Amino acid sequence: MPKPNDNHPPQGNSSQSNPPQNNSQQNNSPHSNSPQSNSPQKNVSQYDPSYNPKRQKPKKHFYQNKKQLFIGLLILLGTGLFIAVTVFAVLPMFSYQESAVEAIVIPQPTPSPTPRPTPVPTPTLTPEPTPDPMEGMVHSPLTGLPIPEETAPLRPVAVVINNHSRALPQSGISEAEIIYEVLAEGNITRLVAIFHQLQSPRIGPVRSTRDYFVDFAIAYDSVFVHHGGSPSGYARLRNLNVDRLDGMALEGTVFWRDPERRRVPALIEHSSYTGMEQLETAMETRNIRRERLEDDNMGFAFNLDEVPFETIALASGGDFSPCLELTVPFSQGYPRRFVYDPETMTYAVYNVHGPHIDEDIEDEDEAQLHVTNILVQHTRMWLTGDAEGRREVVTIGSGTGYLAAEGGIVNVRWERDSHQTPTRWYFMNGESITLIPGQTWINVLQDTIPIQVVTGLEPQEEAEEEDEYDEDN
């Protein structure tokens, strides 16, 4: 009887031991690739005590492992491809969402430029309206120049001015709007100065009147100022009921004597003066009418449109010519000369001694008189035959004359109907003359005496003319 093996399974398991396998079954095993061995095979179940049929893994053939590897590679490749497609499909979405978030939800702050100092705007100055030069003003009926509205309705004042050589220089005459010049006795001229704006504190020397002086004054509804007069002069004042102030009755109040001239006996008759303040006071205390008559027409129209005088004169029907110098020869000792100044477009006034000046103007360059218009009134006149050598001068009727302005001269005519009406002036075509705004000098000259007009001067000729005047002095 054999001995029990130490490796024999326990007794309880002997009944369940697997029977031995035959050789045929062993040869059919998939792992039996080698030729059948004739050596006896060891039965593991019977002889290997560590054998456990439950733990024994079946052996796989090689082709089965290759198939599984191939399948695994396919799975791995598909997974990689899926991941790649997913990444490429989803990544742009994340990029767009990120841009949208940046642009809309969380905008990046724009860096602010360094602020420049705000320039202080220059205030725009509103231009003040150009003042109207005629505001509160009207055109003077005597000069056509602007004068205060309150002055326009006032009556002018006519003052007889002494023009004797010893009476020169005179005072206040530069302010006269109109000056008449005419011969009195002894071939000496006298002036009648018409003042509308009475401003001068000193006017004179004042001299006696003649009857035709009165006619000049009342043509403008003037208050007449004189110091004495001829018998015919006083008669004319009384007959026409002229408002007047006479130095013969008012010396010491309205009139005074210049103290320096009074010391010289030969100058006493050339020493009577008056002034604005004295005349205004006298007119007020004597209840002299100060306003002009409403229907009063002083007889002048003015070129307010600044049409050149040459244009007006050429259309007037008269004979126009240049006039650079005009001489009115009242007498040998009293010629009146006017020289045109193109800069001021006025005529400088000269007497036999040289420039005719206003003594009360301190600036020598401004002291000489200048006028804008020159009228020459040719009329009949003759000596009366009295011992004083007085004249009769025709002021009523009609006649011819000349108008000079702006360096030119043209012939005109005049008419006057009565002592109470003004003198009317006409161009040769019948239209009323038009004066250039400014002062006017009216020369009343005997109709048989021609005037002298210089249309152009050469320097040498002008010098010779000056020498002639110097010799006469």
Side-chain angles (χ1 to χ4, degrees):
M1 186 170 158
K3 295 180 181 181
N5 192 335
D6 292 336
N7 291 329
H8 194 274
Q11 189 66 30
N13 292 332
S14 59
S15 60
Q16 299 179 356
S17 60
N18 293 327
Q21 301 203 2
N22 55 28
N23 292 336
S24 63
Q25 291 175 337
Q26 290 178 359
N27 292 334
N28 292 332
S29 173
H31 299 284
S32 298
N33 294 328
S34 62
Q36 178 99 20
S37 176
N38 294 322
S39 60
Q41 295 293 324
K42 185 178 180 178
N43 190 340
V44 178
S45 61
Q46 294 178 0
Y47 301 104
D48 188 358
S50 63
Y51 174 78
N52 187 350
K54 294 181 180 183
R55 295 178 58 187
Q56 186 66 34
K57 294 181 180 180
K59 292 183 180 181
K60 298 180 180 181
H61 294 284
F62 174 77
Y63 76 93
Q64 291 179 334
N65 291 334
K66 188 176 180 179
K67 182 179 180 181
Q68 291 176 354
L69 178 62
F70 179 75
I71 293 173
L73 289 174
L74 289 176
I75 293 173
L76 182 61
L77 181 62
T79 303
L81 181 61
F82 174 78
I83 292 173
V85 171
T86 303
V87 169
F88 281 105
V90 175
L91 185 59
M93 184 181 300
F94 279 104
S95 176
Y96 171 78
Q97 290 178 350
E98 182 178 356
S99 300
V101 169
E102 290 178 356
I104 299 175
V105 180
I106 309 176
Q108 294 293 328
T110 302
S112 300
T114 303
R116 296 180 179 179
T118 303
V120 178
T122 303
T124 303
L125 299 178
T126 303
E128 296 183 1
T130 303
D132 182 1
M134 291 302 296
E135 184 176 357
M137 310 287 280
V138 296
H139 293 289
S140 167
L142 298 185
T143 65
L145 299 174
I147 61 173
E149 289 181 349
E150 59 271 18
T151 302
L154 298 180
R155 298 174 69 185
V157 174
V159 183
V160 179
I161 302 294
N162 192 342
N163 198 45
H164 194 286
S165 294
R166 294 178 181 176
L168 302 177
Q170 299 138 334
S171 297
I173 60 172
S174 61
E175 295 183 0
E177 280 81 356
I178 297 173
I179 293 179
Y180 280 81
E181 184 170 11
V182 65
L183 281 172
E185 307 84 71
N187 291 327
I188 300 171
T189 62
R190 238 166 243 190
L191 310 179
V192 178
I194 313 295
F195 297 89
H196 195 196
Q197 298 186 84
L198 194 58
Q199 298 176 338
S200 179
R202 176 180 163 95
I203 302 172
V206 182
R207 203 68 164 94
S208 60
T209 187
R210 302 296 179 262
D211 51 2
Y212 47 94
F213 297 174
V214 177
D215 290 341
F216 302 151
I218 63 176
Y220 306 96
D221 190 27
S222 301
V223 177
F224 194 64
V225 179
H226 62 105
H227 197 132
S230 65
S232 61
Y234 275 118
R236 184 68 54 84
L237 290 170
R238 289 191 301 268
N239 293 338
L240 297 178
N241 194 25
V242 177
D243 290 326
R244 64 187 187 273
L245 296 171
D246 186 357
M248 295 295 290
L250 300 173
E251 184 174 339
T253 55
V254 181
F255 296 80
W256 71 87
R257 295 285 178 176
D258 180 84
E260 293 185 4
R261 295 191 179 203
R262 190 172 185 177
R263 295 191 186 101
V264 181
L267 296 181
I268 292 178
E269 62 178 332
H270 310 301
S271 63
S272 177
Y273 288 82
T274 187
M276 170 191 65
E277 183 178 349
Q278 289 78 9
L279 293 175
E280 291 286 2
T281 301
M283 288 186 285
E284 183 179 356
T285 57
R286 293 172 181 271
N287 295 320
I288 294 177
R289 175 173 55 88
R290 287 295 289 125
E291 293 189 358
R292 294 188 293 118
L293 300 175
E294 292 183 2
D295 59 348
D296 178 46
N297 187 336
M298 295 184 181
F300 288 120
F302 291 92
N303 174 22
L304 301 179
D305 297 328
E306 299 183 357
V307 178
F309 176 73
E310 181 177 357
T311 302
I312 298 173
L314 289 173
S316 70
D319 297 326
F320 173 80
S321 68
C323 181
L324 301 184
E325 181 177 332
L326 171 62
T327 301
V328 182
F330 289 103
S331 65
Q332 183 176 359
Y334 287 85
R336 177 63 62 196
R337 191 161 65 107
F338 305 91
V339 178
Y340 184 62
D341 180 359
E343 291 186 3
T344 61
M345 300 181 72
T346 61
Y347 285 89
V349 183
Y350 292 83
N351 55 36
V352 70
H353 305 290
H356 199 115
I357 67 171
D358 187 324
E359 182 181 19
D360 291 349
I361 296 180
E362 297 180 358
D363 188 343
E364 294 183 358
D365 295 334
E366 301 292 333
Q368 184 175 9
L369 303 184
H370 285 74
V371 295
T372 304
N373 306 285
I374 304 168
L375 279 169
V376 176
Q377 183 178 357
H378 268 137
T379 190
R380 292 181 298 116
M381 60 180 65
W382 58 88
L383 294 174
T384 62
D386 64 3
E388 303 297 331
R390 296 186 178 99
R391 284 178 169 80
E392 186 75 28
V393 178
V394 176
T395 59
I396 308 301
S398 63
T400 60
Y402 297 92
L403 169 61
E406 293 185 351
I409 190 169
V410 68
N411 51 326
V412 296
R413 60 187 182 86
W414 62 270
E415 294 180 3
R416 186 170 184 177
D417 298 331
S418 67
H419 295 291
Q420 288 79 13
T421 59
T423 302
R424 306 293 185 184
W425 294 84
Y426 300 96
F427 288 120
M428 300 310 289
N429 61 4
E431 296 182 0
S432 296
I433 67 170
T434 303
L435 299 183
I436 305 301
Q439 294 166 292
T440 300
W441 196 290
I442 302 176
N443 305 271
V444 182
L445 180 66
Q446 186 169 333
D447 57 2
T448 59
I449 300 177
I451 61 173
Q452 301 168 10
V453 177
V454 178
T455 59
L457 280 179
E458 294 295 332
Q460 183 62 33
E461 294 177 0
E462 186 173 7
E464 291 175 358
E465 291 285 345
E466 293 289 347
D467 293 340
E468 290 179 8
Y469 280 108
D470 292 339
E471 291 174 3
D472 291 339
N473 293 338

